[in-house]
Amino acid sequence: SYIFGLAGTRPLTTKVQEVADAVRTHRALEDCDVIRGFAETTHRAKSWSCERRVVARIEATRLGLDIRFVVTNLTGTSPRVIYESLYCARGQAENWIKFHKAQLASDRTSCRRAVANQVRLVLHTAAYWLMLSVREAIPATRDLARAEFATLRLRLLKIAVRVQETTSRIRLAFASCCPEADLVR
């Protein structure tokens, strides 16, 4: 089974034009900001050996019409499910992978030995879960509760603090200009 995005072409847009006009008209009549509709057709590009199922996501906004196409060989599933539940979920998974690589530098697996690279990925994943736990511990009313890991690292972890350890407690002395001192407290 496969599912992938396809660049829109004039022949593809023509095949779903009737549904696109209906979505555009519905948005205008209802005076909504956004109306989303779905269409399904078959298409055969010059380089393809056969016709394939194409799902179109048609979105009408006040700015105009936006049509996205997805090609799949999945059958028995509605165009809405194909696009929203399968295609967009796959894209979100790719975004999480990109986030993991960019925010935690987990793409640095340049060792010659596979075991060393696997250990690095395990450590990066542990760092991911630790940062996720830190973000979840922040009250929802704070802007850092939705921050990316790089922002959390800069504003919470990479700060200068004087640590005073006694037998009964540990004191953290923040600089007077530390903007997140109350949150860490």
Side-chain angles (χ1 to χ4, degrees), residues 8-131:
T9 62
R10 188 171 293 147
L12 269 174
T13 305
T14 303
K15 289 180 179 183
V16 297
Q17 195 61 47
E18 190 175 315
V19 177
D21 288 340
V23 170
R24 185 185 295 128
T25 304
H26 181 66
R27 194 220 57 84
L29 291 174
E30 297 289 325
D31 195 33
C32 298
D33 289 333
V34 178
I35 294 288
R36 185 180 267 194
F38 296 89
E40 180 178 342
T41 187
T42 57
H43 183 67
R44 181 178 180 187
K46 290 180 182 177
S47 61
W48 296 354
S49 61
C50 61
E51 281 196 334
R52 301 178 195 273
R53 180 182 183 196
V54 177
V55 170
R57 190 268 295 148
I58 304 162
E59 196 169 83
T61 67
R62 295 188 189 281
L63 299 175
L65 199 64
D66 181 38
I67 303 175
R68 302 289 171 108
F69 295 98
V70 172
V71 178
T72 185
N73 66 346
L74 299 172
T75 58
T77 310
S78 73
R80 177 182 294 274
V81 170
I82 292 285
Y83 188 83
E84 291 181 343
S85 298
L86 299 175
Y87 180 70
C88 291
R90 180 195 58 81
Q92 186 58 36
E94 288 180 5
N95 288 340
W96 287 117
I97 292 169
K98 187 187 334 178
F99 182 71
H100 199 281
K101 289 168 69 174
Q103 301 285 319
L104 299 171
S106 66
D107 59 343
R108 296 189 182 143
T109 52
S110 57
C111 242
R112 291 184 183 183
R113 294 183 20 226
V115 173
N117 290 330
Q118 287 173 340
V119 168
R120 284 182 179 175
L121 283 176
V122 167
L123 290 174
H124 286 295
T125 302
Y128 173 85
W129 285 109
L130 179 65
M131 293 299 285

